[in-house]
Short mmCIF file of all heavy atoms in Angstrom, two decimals:
data_model
loop_
_atom_site.label_atom_id
_atom_site.label_comp_id
_atom_site.label_asym_id
_atom_site.label_seq_id
_atom_site.Cartn_x
_atom_site.Cartn_y
_atom_site.Cartn_z
N MET A 104 15.37 1.94 2.79
CA MET A 104 14.59 1.30 1.72
C MET A 104 14.87 2.03 0.42
O MET A 104 14.91 3.24 0.37
CB MET A 104 13.10 1.38 2.06
CG MET A 104 12.24 0.80 0.98
SD MET A 104 10.47 0.98 1.26
CE MET A 104 10.29 2.73 1.21
N ARG A 105 15.03 1.28 -0.62
CA ARG A 105 15.22 1.90 -1.93
C ARG A 105 13.88 2.31 -2.52
O ARG A 105 12.83 1.79 -2.14
CB ARG A 105 15.96 0.95 -2.86
CG ARG A 105 15.18 -0.29 -3.23
CD ARG A 105 16.03 -1.19 -4.14
NE ARG A 105 15.19 -2.12 -4.84
CZ ARG A 105 14.88 -3.33 -4.38
NH1 ARG A 105 15.33 -3.73 -3.22
NH2 ARG A 105 14.11 -4.13 -5.08
N GLU A 106 13.90 3.23 -3.44
CA GLU A 106 12.68 3.72 -4.07
C GLU A 106 12.03 2.64 -4.94
O GLU A 106 12.70 1.85 -5.58
CB GLU A 106 12.99 4.93 -4.95
CG GLU A 106 13.29 6.18 -4.17
CD GLU A 106 12.09 6.72 -3.42
OE1 GLU A 106 10.99 6.77 -3.99
OE2 GLU A 106 12.27 7.10 -2.26
N GLY A 107 10.71 2.63 -4.94
CA GLY A 107 9.97 1.79 -5.85
C GLY A 107 10.06 0.30 -5.59
O GLY A 107 10.06 -0.48 -6.53
N ARG A 108 10.09 -0.12 -4.36
CA ARG A 108 10.13 -1.55 -4.04
C ARG A 108 8.76 -2.17 -4.33
O ARG A 108 7.73 -1.60 -4.01
CB ARG A 108 10.49 -1.72 -2.57
CG ARG A 108 10.65 -3.14 -2.18
CD ARG A 108 11.26 -3.24 -0.82
NE ARG A 108 11.36 -4.63 -0.47
CZ ARG A 108 11.64 -5.05 0.74
NH1 ARG A 108 11.86 -4.19 1.70
NH2 ARG A 108 11.71 -6.33 0.99
N ILE A 109 8.74 -3.36 -4.89
CA ILE A 109 7.50 -4.06 -5.23
C ILE A 109 7.18 -5.09 -4.14
O ILE A 109 8.04 -5.88 -3.76
CB ILE A 109 7.61 -4.77 -6.60
CG1 ILE A 109 7.90 -3.75 -7.70
CG2 ILE A 109 6.35 -5.58 -6.90
CD1 ILE A 109 6.82 -2.72 -7.94
N LEU A 110 5.93 -5.05 -3.66
CA LEU A 110 5.45 -6.05 -2.71
C LEU A 110 4.19 -6.69 -3.29
O LEU A 110 3.34 -6.00 -3.86
CB LEU A 110 5.09 -5.41 -1.37
CG LEU A 110 6.22 -4.85 -0.53
CD1 LEU A 110 5.64 -4.21 0.74
CD2 LEU A 110 7.21 -5.93 -0.15
N ILE A 111 4.07 -7.99 -3.12
CA ILE A 111 2.86 -8.70 -3.54
C ILE A 111 2.18 -9.23 -2.29
O ILE A 111 2.80 -9.97 -1.50
CB ILE A 111 3.19 -9.83 -4.53
CG1 ILE A 111 3.82 -9.24 -5.79
CG2 ILE A 111 1.92 -10.63 -4.87
CD1 ILE A 111 4.34 -10.24 -6.78
N VAL A 112 0.94 -8.80 -2.09
CA VAL A 112 0.15 -9.19 -0.92
C VAL A 112 -1.21 -9.66 -1.41
O VAL A 112 -1.87 -8.94 -2.18
CB VAL A 112 0.01 -8.00 0.06
CG1 VAL A 112 -0.88 -8.37 1.24
CG2 VAL A 112 1.38 -7.52 0.53
N ARG A 113 -1.62 -10.84 -0.98
CA ARG A 113 -2.91 -11.42 -1.40
C ARG A 113 -3.06 -11.43 -2.92
O ARG A 113 -4.13 -11.20 -3.46
CB ARG A 113 -4.07 -10.68 -0.77
CG ARG A 113 -4.16 -10.80 0.72
CD ARG A 113 -5.45 -10.17 1.19
NE ARG A 113 -5.54 -10.24 2.63
CZ ARG A 113 -6.49 -9.65 3.32
NH1 ARG A 113 -7.42 -8.95 2.71
NH2 ARG A 113 -6.51 -9.74 4.62
N GLY A 114 -1.96 -11.65 -3.61
CA GLY A 114 -1.98 -11.71 -5.06
C GLY A 114 -2.04 -10.37 -5.76
O GLY A 114 -2.12 -10.31 -6.98
N GLU A 115 -1.99 -9.28 -5.00
CA GLU A 115 -2.04 -7.93 -5.56
C GLU A 115 -0.66 -7.29 -5.47
O GLU A 115 0.07 -7.51 -4.51
CB GLU A 115 -3.06 -7.06 -4.82
CG GLU A 115 -4.49 -7.59 -4.89
CD GLU A 115 -5.09 -7.51 -6.28
OE1 GLU A 115 -4.62 -6.73 -7.13
OE2 GLU A 115 -6.06 -8.25 -6.52
N THR A 116 -0.33 -6.49 -6.47
CA THR A 116 0.99 -5.88 -6.58
C THR A 116 0.95 -4.41 -6.18
O THR A 116 0.11 -3.65 -6.69
CB THR A 116 1.53 -6.01 -8.02
OG1 THR A 116 1.51 -7.40 -8.38
CG2 THR A 116 2.95 -5.47 -8.13
N PHE A 117 1.85 -4.02 -5.29
CA PHE A 117 1.97 -2.64 -4.82
C PHE A 117 3.41 -2.16 -4.98
O PHE A 117 4.35 -2.93 -4.80
CB PHE A 117 1.61 -2.54 -3.33
CG PHE A 117 0.15 -2.65 -3.05
CD1 PHE A 117 -0.48 -3.89 -3.03
CD2 PHE A 117 -0.61 -1.52 -2.81
CE1 PHE A 117 -1.84 -3.99 -2.78
CE2 PHE A 117 -1.97 -1.61 -2.55
CZ PHE A 117 -2.59 -2.85 -2.54
N GLU A 118 3.54 -0.89 -5.31
CA GLU A 118 4.84 -0.24 -5.30
C GLU A 118 4.92 0.53 -3.99
O GLU A 118 4.05 1.35 -3.69
CB GLU A 118 5.01 0.71 -6.48
CG GLU A 118 6.37 1.39 -6.46
CD GLU A 118 6.54 2.34 -7.63
OE1 GLU A 118 5.53 2.90 -8.09
OE2 GLU A 118 7.68 2.52 -8.05
N TRP A 119 5.98 0.28 -3.24
CA TRP A 119 6.19 0.90 -1.93
C TRP A 119 7.38 1.83 -2.04
O TRP A 119 8.47 1.43 -2.44
CB TRP A 119 6.44 -0.20 -0.92
CG TRP A 119 6.84 0.21 0.45
CD1 TRP A 119 6.58 1.38 1.10
CD2 TRP A 119 7.57 -0.59 1.38
NE1 TRP A 119 7.09 1.34 2.37
CE2 TRP A 119 7.71 0.14 2.56
CE3 TRP A 119 8.12 -1.86 1.32
CZ2 TRP A 119 8.38 -0.35 3.68
CZ3 TRP A 119 8.78 -2.35 2.44
CH2 TRP A 119 8.91 -1.61 3.60
N SER A 120 7.17 3.09 -1.69
CA SER A 120 8.27 4.05 -1.72
C SER A 120 8.18 4.96 -0.51
O SER A 120 7.13 5.07 0.12
CB SER A 120 8.25 4.86 -3.02
OG SER A 120 7.03 5.55 -3.15
N LEU A 121 9.28 5.59 -0.20
CA LEU A 121 9.34 6.55 0.89
C LEU A 121 9.54 7.92 0.27
O LEU A 121 10.55 8.17 -0.39
CB LEU A 121 10.49 6.20 1.84
CG LEU A 121 10.61 7.03 3.10
CD1 LEU A 121 9.38 6.86 3.98
CD2 LEU A 121 11.86 6.64 3.87
N ARG A 122 8.55 8.80 0.46
CA ARG A 122 8.62 10.15 -0.10
C ARG A 122 8.22 11.15 0.96
O ARG A 122 7.15 11.02 1.57
CB ARG A 122 7.68 10.30 -1.30
CG ARG A 122 8.13 9.52 -2.50
CD ARG A 122 7.33 9.91 -3.75
NE ARG A 122 7.57 8.91 -4.76
CZ ARG A 122 6.67 8.05 -5.20
NH1 ARG A 122 5.45 8.07 -4.74
NH2 ARG A 122 6.98 7.16 -6.11
N ASP A 123 9.06 12.13 1.16
CA ASP A 123 8.76 13.21 2.12
C ASP A 123 8.38 12.66 3.48
O ASP A 123 7.45 13.15 4.13
CB ASP A 123 7.66 14.12 1.58
CG ASP A 123 8.05 14.78 0.26
OD1 ASP A 123 9.23 15.12 0.10
OD2 ASP A 123 7.17 14.93 -0.59
N GLY A 124 9.04 11.61 3.93
CA GLY A 124 8.81 11.03 5.25
C GLY A 124 7.56 10.17 5.35
O GLY A 124 7.16 9.79 6.44
N ALA A 125 6.92 9.85 4.21
CA ALA A 125 5.72 9.02 4.23
C ALA A 125 5.94 7.76 3.40
O ALA A 125 6.52 7.81 2.32
CB ALA A 125 4.52 9.79 3.67
N ASN A 126 5.49 6.65 3.93
CA ASN A 126 5.50 5.39 3.20
C ASN A 126 4.30 5.41 2.27
O ASN A 126 3.15 5.50 2.73
CB ASN A 126 5.37 4.22 4.18
CG ASN A 126 6.60 4.07 5.05
OD1 ASN A 126 7.49 3.31 4.73
ND2 ASN A 126 6.64 4.80 6.16
N GLN A 127 4.56 5.36 0.97
CA GLN A 127 3.49 5.46 -0.01
C GLN A 127 3.34 4.12 -0.73
O GLN A 127 4.33 3.49 -1.08
CB GLN A 127 3.81 6.56 -1.02
CG GLN A 127 4.07 7.86 -0.31
CD GLN A 127 3.59 9.06 -1.05
OE1 GLN A 127 3.08 8.97 -2.15
NE2 GLN A 127 3.76 10.20 -0.44
N PHE A 128 2.08 3.74 -0.92
CA PHE A 128 1.76 2.46 -1.54
C PHE A 128 0.84 2.69 -2.73
O PHE A 128 -0.29 3.17 -2.56
CB PHE A 128 1.08 1.53 -0.52
CG PHE A 128 1.94 1.25 0.68
CD1 PHE A 128 1.88 2.07 1.80
CD2 PHE A 128 2.83 0.18 0.68
CE1 PHE A 128 2.68 1.82 2.91
CE2 PHE A 128 3.64 -0.07 1.78
CZ PHE A 128 3.56 0.76 2.90
N ALA A 129 1.30 2.37 -3.91
CA ALA A 129 0.50 2.49 -5.13
C ALA A 129 0.08 1.09 -5.55
O ALA A 129 0.93 0.21 -5.73
CB ALA A 129 1.30 3.16 -6.24
N TRP A 130 -1.20 0.88 -5.74
CA TRP A 130 -1.77 -0.42 -6.10
C TRP A 130 -1.65 -0.60 -7.60
O TRP A 130 -2.47 -0.14 -8.38
CB TRP A 130 -3.22 -0.44 -5.65
CG TRP A 130 -3.93 -1.75 -5.74
CD1 TRP A 130 -3.40 -2.97 -6.03
CD2 TRP A 130 -5.32 -1.95 -5.51
NE1 TRP A 130 -4.39 -3.93 -6.01
CE2 TRP A 130 -5.58 -3.33 -5.69
CE3 TRP A 130 -6.38 -1.11 -5.19
CZ2 TRP A 130 -6.84 -3.87 -5.54
CZ3 TRP A 130 -7.63 -1.66 -5.04
CH2 TRP A 130 -7.85 -3.02 -5.21
N LEU A 131 -0.63 -1.29 -8.03
CA LEU A 131 -0.33 -1.44 -9.45
C LEU A 131 -1.27 -2.40 -10.17
O LEU A 131 -1.56 -2.21 -11.36
CB LEU A 131 1.11 -1.90 -9.64
CG LEU A 131 2.20 -0.98 -9.06
CD1 LEU A 131 3.57 -1.58 -9.32
CD2 LEU A 131 2.09 0.42 -9.61
N SER A 132 -1.73 -3.42 -9.48
CA SER A 132 -2.60 -4.41 -10.13
C SER A 132 -4.08 -4.13 -9.89
O SER A 132 -4.93 -4.89 -10.34
CB SER A 132 -2.25 -5.82 -9.63
OG SER A 132 -2.45 -5.90 -8.22
N GLY A 133 -4.39 -3.04 -9.23
CA GLY A 133 -5.77 -2.71 -8.92
C GLY A 133 -6.52 -2.15 -10.12
O GLY A 133 -5.94 -1.86 -11.16
N PRO A 134 -7.82 -1.98 -9.96
CA PRO A 134 -8.66 -1.52 -11.07
C PRO A 134 -8.50 -0.04 -11.40
O PRO A 134 -8.94 0.39 -12.46
CB PRO A 134 -10.08 -1.83 -10.59
CG PRO A 134 -9.99 -1.80 -9.10
CD PRO A 134 -8.61 -2.31 -8.78
N HIS A 135 -7.88 0.74 -10.51
CA HIS A 135 -7.74 2.17 -10.72
C HIS A 135 -6.26 2.56 -10.62
O HIS A 135 -5.68 2.53 -9.53
CB HIS A 135 -8.56 2.96 -9.69
CG HIS A 135 -9.99 2.49 -9.62
ND1 HIS A 135 -10.89 2.74 -10.62
CD2 HIS A 135 -10.64 1.75 -8.68
CE1 HIS A 135 -12.05 2.20 -10.30
NE2 HIS A 135 -11.93 1.59 -9.12
N ALA A 136 -5.67 2.90 -11.73
CA ALA A 136 -4.24 3.21 -11.78
C ALA A 136 -3.86 4.27 -10.76
O ALA A 136 -4.52 5.31 -10.66
CB ALA A 136 -3.85 3.68 -13.18
N GLY A 137 -2.83 3.98 -9.99
CA GLY A 137 -2.31 4.94 -9.03
C GLY A 137 -3.05 5.02 -7.71
O GLY A 137 -2.65 5.75 -6.82
N TYR A 138 -4.14 4.28 -7.57
CA TYR A 138 -4.90 4.31 -6.31
C TYR A 138 -4.07 3.65 -5.22
O TYR A 138 -3.40 2.65 -5.45
CB TYR A 138 -6.22 3.57 -6.50
CG TYR A 138 -7.20 3.72 -5.36
CD1 TYR A 138 -7.71 4.97 -5.02
CD2 TYR A 138 -7.62 2.63 -4.63
CE1 TYR A 138 -8.61 5.13 -3.99
CE2 TYR A 138 -8.55 2.76 -3.60
CZ TYR A 138 -9.03 4.01 -3.28
OH TYR A 138 -9.93 4.16 -2.25
N GLY A 139 -4.10 4.19 -4.03
CA GLY A 139 -3.36 3.61 -2.93
C GLY A 139 -3.51 4.42 -1.67
O GLY A 139 -4.53 5.08 -1.47
N PHE A 140 -2.46 4.41 -0.85
CA PHE A 140 -2.52 5.09 0.43
C PHE A 140 -1.11 5.41 0.91
O PHE A 140 -0.13 4.93 0.34
CB PHE A 140 -3.26 4.22 1.46
CG PHE A 140 -2.57 2.92 1.78
CD1 PHE A 140 -1.80 2.79 2.93
CD2 PHE A 140 -2.68 1.83 0.94
CE1 PHE A 140 -1.17 1.60 3.23
CE2 PHE A 140 -2.06 0.62 1.23
CZ PHE A 140 -1.30 0.51 2.38
N ALA A 141 -1.03 6.22 1.97
CA ALA A 141 0.26 6.59 2.54
C ALA A 141 0.17 6.51 4.06
O ALA A 141 -0.89 6.72 4.65
CB ALA A 141 0.65 7.99 2.11
N ILE A 142 1.30 6.20 4.68
CA ILE A 142 1.40 6.14 6.13
C ILE A 142 2.68 6.85 6.54
O ILE A 142 3.77 6.52 6.05
CB ILE A 142 1.44 4.68 6.63
CG1 ILE A 142 0.14 3.97 6.30
CG2 ILE A 142 1.71 4.64 8.13
CD1 ILE A 142 0.14 2.52 6.65
N GLY A 143 2.55 7.83 7.41
CA GLY A 143 3.72 8.54 7.89
C GLY A 143 4.14 8.05 9.27
O GLY A 143 3.33 7.52 10.02
N ARG A 144 5.40 8.21 9.55
CA ARG A 144 5.94 7.93 10.88
C ARG A 144 6.52 9.22 11.42
O ARG A 144 7.00 10.06 10.65
CB ARG A 144 7.05 6.87 10.80
CG ARG A 144 6.54 5.49 10.52
CD ARG A 144 7.66 4.48 10.44
NE ARG A 144 8.72 4.73 11.41
CZ ARG A 144 9.43 3.77 11.99
NH1 ARG A 144 9.22 2.52 11.70
NH2 ARG A 144 10.38 4.07 12.84
N THR A 145 6.51 9.38 12.72
CA THR A 145 7.02 10.63 13.30
C THR A 145 8.50 10.82 13.02
O THR A 145 8.95 11.96 12.92
CB THR A 145 6.77 10.68 14.82
OG1 THR A 145 7.36 9.53 15.43
CG2 THR A 145 5.28 10.72 15.12
N ASP A 146 9.25 9.74 12.84
CA ASP A 146 10.68 9.86 12.54
C ASP A 146 10.97 9.89 11.04
O ASP A 146 12.11 10.01 10.63
CB ASP A 146 11.47 8.74 13.21
CG ASP A 146 11.10 7.35 12.73
OD1 ASP A 146 10.24 7.21 11.83
OD2 ASP A 146 11.68 6.38 13.26
N GLY A 147 9.93 9.77 10.20
CA GLY A 147 10.11 9.82 8.75
C GLY A 147 10.74 8.59 8.14
O GLY A 147 11.09 8.59 6.96
N ALA A 148 10.89 7.53 8.91
CA ALA A 148 11.56 6.32 8.42
C ALA A 148 10.58 5.38 7.71
O ALA A 148 9.37 5.49 7.84
CB ALA A 148 12.21 5.58 9.59
N ALA A 149 11.17 4.45 6.99
CA ALA A 149 10.38 3.42 6.32
C ALA A 149 9.85 2.43 7.36
O ALA A 149 10.47 2.19 8.40
CB ALA A 149 11.24 2.67 5.31
N LEU A 150 8.68 1.88 7.06
CA LEU A 150 8.13 0.82 7.88
C LEU A 150 8.97 -0.44 7.71
O LEU A 150 9.65 -0.62 6.70
CB LEU A 150 6.70 0.50 7.43
CG LEU A 150 5.66 1.59 7.54
CD1 LEU A 150 4.39 1.17 6.81
CD2 LEU A 150 5.35 1.89 8.99
N ALA A 151 8.88 -1.34 8.67
CA ALA A 151 9.46 -2.67 8.49
C ALA A 151 8.60 -3.38 7.44
O ALA A 151 7.40 -3.09 7.30
CB ALA A 151 9.44 -3.44 9.80
N GLU A 152 9.18 -4.31 6.69
CA GLU A 152 8.43 -4.97 5.62
C GLU A 152 7.17 -5.65 6.13
O GLU A 152 6.12 -5.58 5.50
CB GLU A 152 9.30 -5.98 4.88
CG GLU A 152 8.55 -6.60 3.72
CD GLU A 152 9.39 -7.51 2.84
OE1 GLU A 152 10.61 -7.28 2.71
OE2 GLU A 152 8.81 -8.46 2.28
N GLU A 153 7.24 -6.31 7.27
CA GLU A 153 6.06 -7.00 7.81
C GLU A 153 4.95 -5.98 8.14
O GLU A 153 3.78 -6.25 7.89
CB GLU A 153 6.42 -7.82 9.04
CG GLU A 153 5.32 -8.76 9.48
CD GLU A 153 4.91 -9.78 8.42
OE1 GLU A 153 5.76 -10.23 7.63
OE2 GLU A 153 3.72 -10.12 8.38
N GLU A 154 5.33 -4.82 8.67
CA GLU A 154 4.34 -3.76 8.93
C GLU A 154 3.70 -3.29 7.63
O GLU A 154 2.49 -3.09 7.56
CB GLU A 154 5.00 -2.55 9.58
CG GLU A 154 5.42 -2.70 11.01
CD GLU A 154 6.10 -1.44 11.48
OE1 GLU A 154 7.24 -1.17 11.03
OE2 GLU A 154 5.49 -0.71 12.29
N ALA A 155 4.53 -3.10 6.61
CA ALA A 155 4.02 -2.66 5.31
C ALA A 155 3.04 -3.68 4.76
O ALA A 155 1.96 -3.32 4.28
CB ALA A 155 5.18 -2.45 4.33
N ARG A 156 3.38 -4.95 4.83
CA ARG A 156 2.49 -6.00 4.34
C ARG A 156 1.17 -6.02 5.12
O ARG A 156 0.10 -6.21 4.55
CB ARG A 156 3.18 -7.37 4.41
CG ARG A 156 4.28 -7.52 3.39
CD ARG A 156 4.94 -8.90 3.48
NE ARG A 156 5.93 -9.04 2.44
CZ ARG A 156 5.66 -9.31 1.17
NH1 ARG A 156 4.42 -9.48 0.77
NH2 ARG A 156 6.64 -9.41 0.28
N ASP A 157 1.24 -5.82 6.44
CA ASP A 157 0.03 -5.79 7.26
C ASP A 157 -0.87 -4.63 6.87
O ASP A 157 -2.09 -4.78 6.79
CB ASP A 157 0.39 -5.69 8.75
CG ASP A 157 0.99 -6.97 9.31
OD1 ASP A 157 0.90 -8.04 8.66
OD2 ASP A 157 1.56 -6.90 10.42
N HIS A 158 -0.29 -3.46 6.62
CA HIS A 158 -1.08 -2.29 6.20
C HIS A 158 -1.72 -2.50 4.83
O HIS A 158 -2.87 -2.13 4.61
CB HIS A 158 -0.23 -1.02 6.21
CG HIS A 158 0.03 -0.49 7.58
ND1 HIS A 158 -0.95 0.05 8.38
CD2 HIS A 158 1.18 -0.42 8.29
CE1 HIS A 158 -0.42 0.44 9.53
NE2 HIS A 158 0.87 0.15 9.50
N ILE A 159 -0.99 -3.13 3.93
CA ILE A 159 -1.54 -3.43 2.60
C ILE A 159 -2.70 -4.41 2.73
O ILE A 159 -3.76 -4.22 2.12
CB ILE A 159 -0.46 -3.98 1.65
CG1 ILE A 159 0.55 -2.88 1.31
CG2 ILE A 159 -1.09 -4.56 0.38
CD1 ILE A 159 1.78 -3.37 0.58
N ALA A 160 -2.53 -5.45 3.54
CA ALA A 160 -3.60 -6.44 3.74
C ALA A 160 -4.84 -5.77 4.33
O ALA A 160 -5.97 -6.06 3.91
CB ALA A 160 -3.13 -7.58 4.62
N ALA A 161 -4.65 -4.86 5.28
CA ALA A 161 -5.79 -4.15 5.88
C ALA A 161 -6.47 -3.27 4.84
O ALA A 161 -7.71 -3.21 4.78
CB ALA A 161 -5.31 -3.31 7.07
N PHE A 162 -5.69 -2.59 4.01
CA PHE A 162 -6.23 -1.76 2.93
C PHE A 162 -7.08 -2.61 2.00
O PHE A 162 -8.22 -2.27 1.68
CB PHE A 162 -5.07 -1.09 2.18
CG PHE A 162 -5.46 -0.41 0.90
CD1 PHE A 162 -6.00 0.86 0.92
CD2 PHE A 162 -5.26 -1.04 -0.32
CE1 PHE A 162 -6.35 1.50 -0.28
CE2 PHE A 162 -5.60 -0.41 -1.51
CZ PHE A 162 -6.15 0.87 -1.48
N LEU A 163 -6.55 -3.75 1.57
CA LEU A 163 -7.29 -4.63 0.66
C LEU A 163 -8.58 -5.14 1.30
O LEU A 163 -9.59 -5.30 0.62
CB LEU A 163 -6.40 -5.79 0.21
CG LEU A 163 -5.26 -5.42 -0.73
CD1 LEU A 163 -4.33 -6.62 -0.92
CD2 LEU A 163 -5.79 -4.91 -2.06
N GLY A 164 -8.55 -5.37 2.61
CA GLY A 164 -9.73 -5.83 3.31
C GLY A 164 -10.85 -4.81 3.36
O GLY A 164 -12.00 -5.16 3.59
N GLU A 165 -10.51 -3.55 3.12
CA GLU A 165 -11.51 -2.47 3.15
C GLU A 165 -12.00 -2.07 1.75
O GLU A 165 -12.83 -1.17 1.61
CB GLU A 165 -10.93 -1.24 3.85
CG GLU A 165 -10.69 -1.47 5.33
CD GLU A 165 -11.97 -1.80 6.09
OE1 GLU A 165 -13.00 -1.17 5.84
OE2 GLU A 165 -11.93 -2.73 6.93
N ILE A 166 -11.49 -2.73 0.72
CA ILE A 166 -11.88 -2.39 -0.65
C ILE A 166 -13.25 -2.99 -0.98
O ILE A 166 -13.50 -4.17 -0.74
CB ILE A 166 -10.82 -2.90 -1.66
CG1 ILE A 166 -9.51 -2.16 -1.47
CG2 ILE A 166 -11.32 -2.79 -3.10
CD1 ILE A 166 -9.56 -0.67 -1.77
N ASP A 167 -14.11 -2.19 -1.54
CA ASP A 167 -15.41 -2.63 -2.02
C ASP A 167 -15.19 -3.35 -3.35
O ASP A 167 -14.70 -2.75 -4.30
CB ASP A 167 -16.33 -1.43 -2.22
CG ASP A 167 -17.72 -1.79 -2.68
OD1 ASP A 167 -17.88 -2.77 -3.43
OD2 ASP A 167 -18.65 -1.07 -2.29
N PRO A 168 -15.51 -4.64 -3.45
CA PRO A 168 -15.25 -5.38 -4.69
C PRO A 168 -16.04 -4.87 -5.89
O PRO A 168 -15.64 -5.07 -7.03
CB PRO A 168 -15.63 -6.82 -4.36
CG PRO A 168 -16.46 -6.75 -3.13
CD PRO A 168 -16.11 -5.48 -2.42
N THR A 169 -17.13 -4.18 -5.63
CA THR A 169 -17.94 -3.64 -6.73
C THR A 169 -17.31 -2.41 -7.35
O THR A 169 -17.26 -2.27 -8.57
CB THR A 169 -19.36 -3.29 -6.23
OG1 THR A 169 -19.94 -4.46 -5.66
CG2 THR A 169 -20.24 -2.79 -7.36
N THR A 170 -16.79 -1.52 -6.50
CA THR A 170 -16.24 -0.25 -6.99
C THR A 170 -14.73 -0.26 -7.14
O THR A 170 -14.17 0.51 -7.91
CB THR A 170 -16.60 0.91 -6.06
OG1 THR A 170 -15.94 0.72 -4.78
CG2 THR A 170 -18.09 1.03 -5.87
N GLY A 171 -14.04 -1.10 -6.37
CA GLY A 171 -12.58 -1.11 -6.38
C GLY A 171 -11.98 0.01 -5.54
O GLY A 171 -10.77 0.22 -5.56
N TYR A 172 -12.82 0.72 -4.80
CA TYR A 172 -12.37 1.79 -3.91
C TYR A 172 -12.69 1.41 -2.47
O TYR A 172 -13.47 0.49 -2.22
CB TYR A 172 -13.09 3.11 -4.24
CG TYR A 172 -12.67 3.73 -5.55
CD1 TYR A 172 -13.52 3.73 -6.63
CD2 TYR A 172 -11.42 4.32 -5.69
CE1 TYR A 172 -13.16 4.31 -7.84
CE2 TYR A 172 -11.04 4.90 -6.88
CZ TYR A 172 -11.90 4.90 -7.96
OH TYR A 172 -11.52 5.47 -9.14
N LEU A 173 -12.11 2.15 -1.52
CA LEU A 173 -12.42 1.93 -0.12
C LEU A 173 -13.92 2.08 0.11
O LEU A 173 -14.57 2.93 -0.51
CB LEU A 173 -11.68 2.94 0.76
CG LEU A 173 -10.17 2.73 0.89
CD1 LEU A 173 -9.54 3.89 1.64
CD2 LEU A 173 -9.85 1.42 1.60
N ARG A 174 -14.42 1.26 1.01
CA ARG A 174 -15.85 1.35 1.38
C ARG A 174 -16.10 2.68 2.08
O ARG A 174 -15.26 3.18 2.80
CB ARG A 174 -16.23 0.21 2.31
CG ARG A 174 -16.20 -1.13 1.66
CD ARG A 174 -16.62 -2.22 2.65
NE ARG A 174 -16.65 -3.50 2.01
CZ ARG A 174 -15.65 -4.39 2.06
NH1 ARG A 174 -14.58 -4.12 2.75
NH2 ARG A 174 -15.74 -5.54 1.43
N ASP A 175 -17.29 3.20 1.92
CA ASP A 175 -17.66 4.45 2.62
C ASP A 175 -18.00 4.17 4.06
O ASP A 175 -18.45 3.19 4.46
CB ASP A 175 -18.87 5.10 1.95
CG ASP A 175 -18.46 5.75 0.63
OD1 ASP A 175 -17.31 6.17 0.50
OD2 ASP A 175 -19.33 5.81 -0.25
#
């Protein structure tokens, strides 16, 4: 995977990159600049695109619409 790939999931834009063996997702269109998450694999490889999209959708499903952050 090349650095800084853009994925759009549920109308939201994320930058997906692989750094230090972790798949990192920065929520570019979200209310808080740079907010996102990371997922590591034991082999340090990039996720398949469908896996990445599924993780982004799950992340968005956990966002509190009032705060724009993950629910407690």
Side-chain angles (χ1 to χ4, degrees):
M104 177 184 64
R105 66 181 198 270
E106 287 292 316
R108 184 169 178 192
I109 300 296
L110 292 178
I111 298 173
V112 176
R113 294 187 182 173
E115 299 292 339
T116 304
F117 285 79
E118 180 180 29
W119 172 26
S120 59
L121 186 63
R122 290 191 194 112
D123 300 324
N126 292 266
Q127 305 215 358
F128 300 90
W130 188 9
L131 301 180
S132 60
H135 309 288
Y138 190 62
F140 64 100
I142 296 175
R144 288 179 38 146
T145 56
D146 62 2
L150 297 169
E152 183 174 330
E153 191 60 33
E154 287 178 290
R156 289 181 176 282
D157 289 346
H158 284 291
I159 291 170
F162 169 81
L163 290 171
E165 293 299 318
I166 294 295
D167 181 326
T169 303
T170 66
Y172 290 108
L173 288 173
R174 292 181 178 97
D175 286 331

